Amino acid sequence: MRVTVGKGSCGIAAGAADVYQALEAGLQNTGHELLTTGCIGMCYLEPIVNVDERVFVKVTKEAAGELLKYILGEENQAERYLIPREDLDNLNGQQRIALKNCGLINPEDIEEYIAREGYEAIKKCVGSLTPEQVIEEIKLSGLSGRGGAGFPTWFKWNAARASAGEKKYVICNADEGDPGAFMDRAVIEGDPHALIEGMLIAAYAIGSDEGIVYVRAEYPLAIVRLELALEQARACGCLGQHIFGGDFCFDIRIKAGAGAFVCGEETALIASLEGERGMPRLKPPFPAQKGCWQKPSNINNVETYANVPWILRNGGAAFAALGTENSKGTKVFALTGKIAKGGLAEVPMGQTVGEVVFGVGGGIKNGRALKAVQMGGPSGGCIPAELCDTPIDYRSLAATGAIMGSGGMVVMDDSTCMVDMARFFLDFTCKESCGKCIHCRIGNRRMLEILERICKGEGLDGDIELLSDLAFQIKEGSLCALGQTAPNPVLTTLRYFRNEYEDHIFRKKCTARQCKPLLTYSISGKCTGCTLCARKCPVGAISGTVKQPHAIDSDKCTKCGKCAEICRFGAVEVE
């Protein structure tokens, strides 16, 4: 039997390494094959173990013993760990291109990638297509950048090819910085050769002999697997000098970045590659004209490159047949937050936000109501539940005030305070700003201070108007996309959840009961006088006698919530 353990970062975090060790010890000298794979996207079911065609989920170290009995033909209870049919149908119902091999092949074995049409696309390009024909195929596909901007990929490639100069660079932006986004990490950990082959095709198209993968150092497993994949590709003649015996030469090196969100902007990334502080610069000239070391450079992210081999194997028209008129192909989304089935999903463009959340994502945790979905990370915006029939394409999302971004979908239920959510994202962008622009450096800080005041119950009449005014000035005055999009979470929450801002400012209430300074704790007549809350209160704010209703001294209460958490009778009321 072929036994495969999912050992992406999510699987390892859930205990897959222990499961692997237990299986390894039990399968020694049995003739069964034990292998590693990456994340298949169902992070909520990790650790996942495949035994031939059967999928077992939530396999603990103890459960591995039952799987061993099953593999060895002994009496067992492994059936209880089989994947539910609904989850398997959700996986099989996806249209997987960028994630085609993730969770299915051993990322540490190039032969498994080759067995699934790996490196056939670059072989086709070198053997029978001109660089212009390759670019034309990408143009026909309608592939746009999956890193956030959605710029036509063929246009960037064509501009780099047309730029004068013998030395050109192909750069991969793997500096995935959005909170809740992990698509690029999963691709590198699960299918690194797809990235390598995509970069090879881009290099052939623009006339480059050197590639750089700029990956954040916080992705150690991705770096290890990518380094191994590069070594194997060189050994097989798929990378390096005279690829496939021809004149095409191209090699790739890795640059581990320090994890600055602003380095997702291409000119800031280039500055970091050159050893400078990661700060954006004015454009033009664009990187395709003067990029890394002032040489023409093409920059795409991991997901963009991972789509390229499929396009060249199947034709641009096949990719363009998926999606909508203005947004072609598929998109990978990272589902996080208050969603029942968190993980990765790859679906054709044009599916609605609700179809992804309630279909692949399984709806909201604990049966609560959907309130909003944050699309596009800290640079995106909140889409309210009533707009969840919005198609996932660039134009439709932009009309709501959100953006596609790199594909993060942070799901929020009715317990989420939208003012606090806007504060959270703005706090992130303030910390990640490079500080070059006054509008971004100071303007966003002033907005954050206002939001912090509002969440503390210190909001003032006029704060809403001031936030809106500052937001538009920051968008207009900032140099790069970080500053230009940083106000989006504030603007969209003001647009769709203005009532929550008004409640915070004028009623001094947080209806979602998340902003502690605005909460009031009291004890109702349901109190039986068990004294548990009084004994557990860390500041002695609760008084009362045994079997008599207790009371909370609001002046002493720190609003820690301990009393409400431990009360067995629902007597503690929070308003």
Side-chain angles (χ1 to χ4, degrees), residues 353-399:
V353 175
E355 285 173 336
V356 175
V357 171
F358 291 98
V360 181
I364 312 303
K365 280 182 179 178
N366 304 319
R368 300 193 71 112
L370 173 66
K371 189 170 189 177
V373 178
Q374 174 78 9
M375 292 281 295
S379 300
C382 289
I383 299 174
E386 57 266 28
L387 293 183
C388 274
D389 59 350
T390 300
I392 297 174
D393 63 52
Y394 290 100
R395 291 187 181 179
S396 298
L397 290 178

Short mmCIF file of all heavy atoms in Angstrom, two decimals, residues 353-399:
data_model
loop_
_atom_site.label_atom_id
_atom_site.label_comp_id
_atom_site.label_asym_id
_atom_site.label_seq_id
_atom_site.Cartn_x
_atom_site.Cartn_y
_atom_site.Cartn_z
N VAL A 353 -19.39 35.18 -3.36
CA VAL A 353 -18.76 35.10 -2.04
C VAL A 353 -19.52 34.09 -1.17
O VAL A 353 -18.91 33.27 -0.49
CB VAL A 353 -18.75 36.49 -1.37
CG1 VAL A 353 -18.22 36.40 0.06
CG2 VAL A 353 -17.92 37.48 -2.18
N GLY A 354 -20.84 34.14 -1.23
CA GLY A 354 -21.64 33.22 -0.43
C GLY A 354 -21.45 31.78 -0.81
O GLY A 354 -21.46 30.88 0.05
N GLU A 355 -21.29 31.49 -2.11
CA GLU A 355 -21.09 30.11 -2.55
C GLU A 355 -19.79 29.54 -1.99
O GLU A 355 -19.72 28.35 -1.65
CB GLU A 355 -21.07 30.05 -4.08
CG GLU A 355 -22.46 30.20 -4.71
CD GLU A 355 -22.41 30.31 -6.22
OE1 GLU A 355 -21.37 30.73 -6.76
OE2 GLU A 355 -23.43 29.99 -6.86
N VAL A 356 -18.77 30.38 -1.91
CA VAL A 356 -17.50 29.91 -1.35
C VAL A 356 -17.62 29.72 0.17
O VAL A 356 -17.22 28.69 0.72
CB VAL A 356 -16.35 30.90 -1.67
CG1 VAL A 356 -15.07 30.47 -0.98
CG2 VAL A 356 -16.14 30.98 -3.18
N VAL A 357 -18.20 30.70 0.84
CA VAL A 357 -18.31 30.63 2.30
C VAL A 357 -19.19 29.47 2.75
O VAL A 357 -18.84 28.70 3.65
CB VAL A 357 -18.83 31.97 2.87
CG1 VAL A 357 -19.15 31.83 4.36
CG2 VAL A 357 -17.81 33.08 2.65
N PHE A 358 -20.36 29.33 2.12
CA PHE A 358 -21.32 28.31 2.56
C PHE A 358 -21.17 26.99 1.82
O PHE A 358 -21.71 25.97 2.25
CB PHE A 358 -22.75 28.83 2.41
CG PHE A 358 -23.07 29.94 3.38
CD1 PHE A 358 -23.00 31.26 2.97
CD2 PHE A 358 -23.40 29.66 4.69
CE1 PHE A 358 -23.27 32.29 3.86
CE2 PHE A 358 -23.68 30.67 5.58
CZ PHE A 358 -23.61 31.99 5.17
N GLY A 359 -20.44 27.01 0.70
CA GLY A 359 -20.19 25.77 -0.03
C GLY A 359 -18.94 25.09 0.47
O GLY A 359 -18.98 24.23 1.35
N VAL A 360 -17.78 25.50 -0.07
CA VAL A 360 -16.51 24.91 0.34
C VAL A 360 -16.25 25.15 1.82
O VAL A 360 -15.76 24.28 2.53
CB VAL A 360 -15.35 25.50 -0.50
CG1 VAL A 360 -14.03 24.87 -0.09
CG2 VAL A 360 -15.60 25.27 -1.99
N GLY A 361 -16.60 26.36 2.30
CA GLY A 361 -16.30 26.71 3.69
C GLY A 361 -17.25 26.14 4.71
O GLY A 361 -16.98 26.22 5.92
N GLY A 362 -18.36 25.57 4.28
CA GLY A 362 -19.28 24.93 5.22
C GLY A 362 -20.06 25.85 6.12
O GLY A 362 -20.68 25.41 7.09
N GLY A 363 -20.06 27.16 5.81
CA GLY A 363 -20.83 28.10 6.62
C GLY A 363 -20.08 28.60 7.83
O GLY A 363 -18.86 28.53 7.92
N ILE A 364 -20.84 29.09 8.81
CA ILE A 364 -20.26 29.75 9.96
C ILE A 364 -20.17 28.80 11.15
O ILE A 364 -21.04 27.96 11.36
CB ILE A 364 -21.10 31.00 10.35
CG1 ILE A 364 -21.40 31.84 9.10
CG2 ILE A 364 -20.39 31.84 11.40
CD1 ILE A 364 -20.18 32.28 8.33
N LYS A 365 -19.12 28.95 11.92
CA LYS A 365 -18.93 28.11 13.11
C LYS A 365 -20.08 28.26 14.09
O LYS A 365 -20.64 29.34 14.25
CB LYS A 365 -17.64 28.52 13.83
CG LYS A 365 -16.36 27.98 13.24
CD LYS A 365 -15.18 28.42 14.09
CE LYS A 365 -13.86 27.88 13.54
NZ LYS A 365 -12.72 28.35 14.36
N ASN A 366 -20.38 27.16 14.75
CA ASN A 366 -21.35 27.14 15.86
C ASN A 366 -22.73 27.64 15.45
O ASN A 366 -23.51 28.08 16.31
CB ASN A 366 -20.83 27.98 17.04
CG ASN A 366 -19.46 27.51 17.51
OD1 ASN A 366 -19.21 26.30 17.59
ND2 ASN A 366 -18.57 28.44 17.81
N GLY A 367 -23.04 27.59 14.16
CA GLY A 367 -24.36 27.96 13.69
C GLY A 367 -24.71 29.42 13.81
O GLY A 367 -25.88 29.80 13.69
N ARG A 368 -23.72 30.28 13.99
CA ARG A 368 -23.99 31.71 14.12
C ARG A 368 -24.27 32.31 12.74
O ARG A 368 -24.06 31.67 11.70
CB ARG A 368 -22.83 32.42 14.80
CG ARG A 368 -22.54 31.92 16.21
CD ARG A 368 -21.60 32.86 16.93
NE ARG A 368 -22.28 34.11 17.27
CZ ARG A 368 -22.57 34.49 18.51
NH1 ARG A 368 -22.28 33.69 19.54
NH2 ARG A 368 -23.16 35.65 18.74
N ALA A 369 -24.69 33.55 12.73
CA ALA A 369 -25.03 34.23 11.48
C ALA A 369 -23.82 34.91 10.87
O ALA A 369 -22.98 35.47 11.60
CB ALA A 369 -26.13 35.26 11.73
N LEU A 370 -23.71 34.87 9.55
CA LEU A 370 -22.66 35.59 8.85
C LEU A 370 -22.91 37.09 8.95
O LEU A 370 -24.03 37.57 8.75
CB LEU A 370 -22.63 35.18 7.38
CG LEU A 370 -21.68 35.97 6.47
CD1 LEU A 370 -20.22 35.73 6.86
CD2 LEU A 370 -21.90 35.61 5.01
N LYS A 371 -21.85 37.83 9.25
CA LYS A 371 -21.97 39.29 9.33
C LYS A 371 -21.25 39.97 8.17
O LYS A 371 -21.79 40.87 7.54
CB LYS A 371 -21.41 39.80 10.65
CG LYS A 371 -21.67 41.28 10.92
CD LYS A 371 -21.29 41.63 12.35
CE LYS A 371 -21.74 43.03 12.72
NZ LYS A 371 -21.42 43.34 14.15
N ALA A 372 -20.03 39.53 7.89
CA ALA A 372 -19.26 40.16 6.81
C ALA A 372 -18.08 39.27 6.44
O ALA A 372 -17.73 38.34 7.17
CB ALA A 372 -18.76 41.54 7.24
N VAL A 373 -17.51 39.55 5.28
CA VAL A 373 -16.30 38.88 4.83
C VAL A 373 -15.29 39.95 4.44
O VAL A 373 -15.59 40.82 3.62
CB VAL A 373 -16.57 37.96 3.62
CG1 VAL A 373 -15.27 37.30 3.16
CG2 VAL A 373 -17.60 36.90 3.97
N GLN A 374 -14.12 39.90 5.05
CA GLN A 374 -13.04 40.82 4.69
C GLN A 374 -12.29 40.23 3.51
O GLN A 374 -11.69 39.16 3.62
CB GLN A 374 -12.10 41.04 5.87
CG GLN A 374 -10.86 41.88 5.55
CD GLN A 374 -11.13 43.36 5.46
OE1 GLN A 374 -12.22 43.80 5.80
NE2 GLN A 374 -10.17 44.14 5.03
N MET A 375 -12.33 40.90 2.38
CA MET A 375 -11.66 40.43 1.16
C MET A 375 -10.46 41.31 0.87
O MET A 375 -10.53 42.53 0.93
CB MET A 375 -12.62 40.50 -0.03
CG MET A 375 -13.77 39.52 0.03
SD MET A 375 -13.30 37.86 -0.46
CE MET A 375 -12.87 38.08 -2.17
N GLY A 376 -9.34 40.69 0.55
CA GLY A 376 -8.16 41.45 0.15
C GLY A 376 -7.25 41.83 1.28
O GLY A 376 -6.38 42.68 1.11
N GLY A 377 -7.43 41.23 2.46
CA GLY A 377 -6.53 41.50 3.57
C GLY A 377 -6.67 42.92 4.10
O GLY A 377 -7.71 43.57 3.94
N PRO A 378 -5.63 43.45 4.74
CA PRO A 378 -5.70 44.79 5.32
C PRO A 378 -5.86 45.89 4.27
O PRO A 378 -6.22 47.02 4.61
CB PRO A 378 -4.37 44.93 6.07
CG PRO A 378 -3.46 43.95 5.41
CD PRO A 378 -4.33 42.80 4.98
N SER A 379 -5.60 45.55 3.02
CA SER A 379 -5.78 46.52 1.93
C SER A 379 -7.17 46.40 1.31
O SER A 379 -7.51 47.16 0.41
CB SER A 379 -4.73 46.28 0.83
OG SER A 379 -3.43 46.43 1.35
N GLY A 380 -7.95 45.44 1.77
CA GLY A 380 -9.27 45.20 1.19
C GLY A 380 -10.38 45.86 1.97
O GLY A 380 -10.17 46.86 2.66
N GLY A 381 -11.56 45.28 1.85
CA GLY A 381 -12.71 45.87 2.52
C GLY A 381 -13.68 44.80 2.97
O GLY A 381 -13.59 43.63 2.58
N CYS A 382 -14.61 45.22 3.81
CA CYS A 382 -15.60 44.30 4.37
C CYS A 382 -16.85 44.25 3.48
O CYS A 382 -17.45 45.29 3.20
CB CYS A 382 -16.00 44.76 5.77
SG CYS A 382 -14.71 44.53 7.00
N ILE A 383 -17.18 43.06 3.06
CA ILE A 383 -18.40 42.84 2.28
C ILE A 383 -19.47 42.33 3.24
O ILE A 383 -19.31 41.28 3.85
CB ILE A 383 -18.17 41.83 1.16
CG1 ILE A 383 -17.09 42.34 0.20
CG2 ILE A 383 -19.46 41.55 0.40
CD1 ILE A 383 -16.70 41.34 -0.87
N PRO A 384 -20.57 43.06 3.43
CA PRO A 384 -21.60 42.63 4.39
C PRO A 384 -22.36 41.41 3.89
O PRO A 384 -22.35 41.09 2.69
CB PRO A 384 -22.51 43.85 4.49
CG PRO A 384 -22.38 44.52 3.16
CD PRO A 384 -20.94 44.32 2.75
N ALA A 385 -23.03 40.73 4.80
CA ALA A 385 -23.74 39.50 4.47
C ALA A 385 -24.76 39.70 3.36
O ALA A 385 -24.95 38.83 2.51
CB ALA A 385 -24.43 38.94 5.72
N GLU A 386 -25.40 40.87 3.34
CA GLU A 386 -26.43 41.10 2.33
C GLU A 386 -25.86 41.22 0.92
O GLU A 386 -26.61 41.20 -0.06
CB GLU A 386 -27.25 42.35 2.67
CG GLU A 386 -26.45 43.62 2.83
CD GLU A 386 -26.07 43.91 4.27
OE1 GLU A 386 -25.93 42.94 5.05
OE2 GLU A 386 -25.89 45.09 4.61
N LEU A 387 -24.54 41.36 0.79
CA LEU A 387 -23.92 41.43 -0.53
C LEU A 387 -23.14 40.16 -0.88
O LEU A 387 -22.29 40.18 -1.77
CB LEU A 387 -22.98 42.64 -0.61
CG LEU A 387 -23.63 44.03 -0.55
CD1 LEU A 387 -22.58 45.12 -0.70
CD2 LEU A 387 -24.70 44.18 -1.63
N CYS A 388 -23.43 39.07 -0.20
CA CYS A 388 -22.68 37.84 -0.43
C CYS A 388 -23.04 37.14 -1.74
O CYS A 388 -22.46 36.12 -2.07
CB CYS A 388 -22.84 36.88 0.74
SG CYS A 388 -21.65 37.22 2.04
N ASP A 389 -24.00 37.70 -2.47
CA ASP A 389 -24.26 37.19 -3.82
C ASP A 389 -23.37 37.89 -4.85
O ASP A 389 -23.53 37.70 -6.06
CB ASP A 389 -25.73 37.35 -4.20
CG ASP A 389 -26.20 38.80 -4.15
OD1 ASP A 389 -25.43 39.66 -3.65
OD2 ASP A 389 -27.32 39.08 -4.61
N THR A 390 -22.41 38.68 -4.37
CA THR A 390 -21.47 39.37 -5.26
C THR A 390 -20.55 38.35 -5.94
O THR A 390 -19.90 37.54 -5.25
CB THR A 390 -20.60 40.37 -4.47
OG1 THR A 390 -21.45 41.34 -3.85
CG2 THR A 390 -19.60 41.07 -5.39
N PRO A 391 -20.45 38.35 -7.27
CA PRO A 391 -19.53 37.43 -7.96
C PRO A 391 -18.08 37.78 -7.61
O PRO A 391 -17.73 38.95 -7.44
CB PRO A 391 -19.80 37.67 -9.44
CG PRO A 391 -21.12 38.36 -9.49
CD PRO A 391 -21.23 39.16 -8.23
N ILE A 392 -17.26 36.76 -7.51
CA ILE A 392 -15.85 36.97 -7.23
C ILE A 392 -15.14 37.26 -8.55
O ILE A 392 -14.71 36.35 -9.27
CB ILE A 392 -15.23 35.75 -6.53
CG1 ILE A 392 -15.89 35.55 -5.17
CG2 ILE A 392 -13.73 35.93 -6.35
CD1 ILE A 392 -15.46 34.29 -4.46
N ASP A 393 -15.10 38.52 -8.91
CA ASP A 393 -14.27 38.98 -10.02
C ASP A 393 -13.81 40.39 -9.68
O ASP A 393 -14.33 41.03 -8.77
CB ASP A 393 -15.01 38.92 -11.36
CG ASP A 393 -16.22 39.83 -11.43
OD1 ASP A 393 -16.09 41.03 -11.13
OD2 ASP A 393 -17.31 39.34 -11.79
N TYR A 394 -12.82 40.87 -10.40
CA TYR A 394 -12.16 42.12 -10.02
C TYR A 394 -13.13 43.31 -10.00
O TYR A 394 -13.13 44.10 -9.07
CB TYR A 394 -10.99 42.40 -10.97
CG TYR A 394 -9.84 41.43 -10.77
CD1 TYR A 394 -9.66 40.35 -11.63
CD2 TYR A 394 -8.95 41.58 -9.72
CE1 TYR A 394 -8.62 39.44 -11.44
CE2 TYR A 394 -7.90 40.68 -9.53
CZ TYR A 394 -7.75 39.62 -10.39
OH TYR A 394 -6.73 38.73 -10.19
N ARG A 395 -13.96 43.42 -11.01
CA ARG A 395 -14.86 44.58 -11.10
C ARG A 395 -15.97 44.54 -10.05
O ARG A 395 -16.29 45.54 -9.43
CB ARG A 395 -15.45 44.68 -12.50
CG ARG A 395 -14.43 45.05 -13.56
CD ARG A 395 -15.11 45.29 -14.91
NE ARG A 395 -14.14 45.62 -15.93
CZ ARG A 395 -14.45 45.86 -17.21
NH1 ARG A 395 -15.73 45.79 -17.61
NH2 ARG A 395 -13.50 46.15 -18.09
N SER A 396 -16.56 43.37 -9.86
CA SER A 396 -17.67 43.25 -8.92
C SER A 396 -17.21 43.51 -7.49
O SER A 396 -17.89 44.19 -6.72
CB SER A 396 -18.30 41.85 -9.01
OG SER A 396 -18.83 41.62 -10.30
N LEU A 397 -16.04 42.98 -7.13
CA LEU A 397 -15.53 43.21 -5.79
C LEU A 397 -15.17 44.68 -5.58
O LEU A 397 -15.42 45.25 -4.51
CB LEU A 397 -14.32 42.32 -5.51
CG LEU A 397 -14.60 40.83 -5.38
CD1 LEU A 397 -13.31 40.06 -5.16
CD2 LEU A 397 -15.56 40.55 -4.23
N ALA A 398 -14.58 45.29 -6.61
CA ALA A 398 -14.21 46.71 -6.50
C ALA A 398 -15.44 47.58 -6.28
O ALA A 398 -15.39 48.59 -5.57
CB ALA A 398 -13.46 47.15 -7.75
N ALA A 399 -16.57 47.20 -6.86
CA ALA A 399 -17.80 47.98 -6.71
C ALA A 399 -18.31 47.98 -5.26
O ALA A 399 -19.00 48.90 -4.83
CB ALA A 399 -18.89 47.43 -7.63
#
